[in-house]
């Protein structure tokens, strides 16, 4: 199923700055074939639901490798069954 997801991953217990961890996550997302756009509080990703969930798992595994013992995730999904719709389509519809 094609979806547009909004993913936010917050490493916890690592201090007030999470920038190094966000960079590590961003590298994984950028290396994936999925279309993604980072924003101030997370990343919008479009693709197959299963591929996006697998990507989130890879991000969590990388944080574990970096010593993060607790991670808070939020992920929301939007889908359309009546027609194909990209992130760009959704933004164009309200412009």
């Amino acid at each position: 199923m094609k979806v547009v997801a909004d993913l936010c991953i917050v490493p916890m217990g690592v201090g007030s700055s999470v920038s190094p961890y966000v960079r590590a996550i961003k590298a994984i997302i950028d290396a994936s074939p999925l279309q993604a756009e980072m924003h101030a509080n997370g990343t919008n990703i479009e693709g197959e639901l299963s591929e996006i969930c697998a990507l989130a798992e890879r991000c969590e595994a990388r944080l574990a490798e970096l010593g993060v013992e607790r991670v808070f995730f939020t992920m929301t999904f939007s889908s359309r069954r009546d027609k194909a719709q990209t992130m760009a389509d959704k933004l164009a519809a309200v412009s």
Side-chain angles (χ1 to χ4, degrees), residues 44-90:
N44 291 126
I45 308 167
E46 64 183 42
E48 292 293 327
L49 177 60
S50 59
E51 294 173 354
I52 293 171
C53 290
L55 179 62
E57 285 187 50
R58 289 194 304 274
C59 291
E60 195 284 331
R62 178 66 181 128
L63 291 175
E65 290 171 0
L66 295 173
V68 179
E69 295 182 356
R70 188 169 181 191
V71 180
F72 181 79
F73 286 79
T74 57
M75 195 161 32
T76 57
F77 303 99
S78 171
S79 69
R80 293 225 29 189
R81 295 199 183 265
D82 59 330
K83 67 178 183 177
Q85 186 178 48
T86 66
M87 293 183 292
D89 294 336
K90 290 178 77 143

Side-chain angles (χ1 to χ4, degrees), residues 8-68:
C8 179
I9 303 175
V10 181
M12 299 179 68
V14 296
S16 59
S17 177
V18 297
S19 297
Y21 303 98
V22 172
R23 276 193 293 278
I25 292 167
K26 184 178 183 315
I28 292 168
I29 293 170
D30 288 347
S32 84
L34 299 174
Q35 178 67 29
E37 294 180 13
M38 185 178 234
H39 55 83
N41 291 312
T43 304
N44 291 126
I45 308 167
E46 64 183 42
E48 292 293 327
L49 177 60
S50 59
E51 294 173 354
I52 293 171
C53 290
L55 179 62
E57 285 187 50
R58 289 194 304 274
C59 291
E60 195 284 331
R62 178 66 181 128
L63 291 175
E65 290 171 0
L66 295 173
V68 179

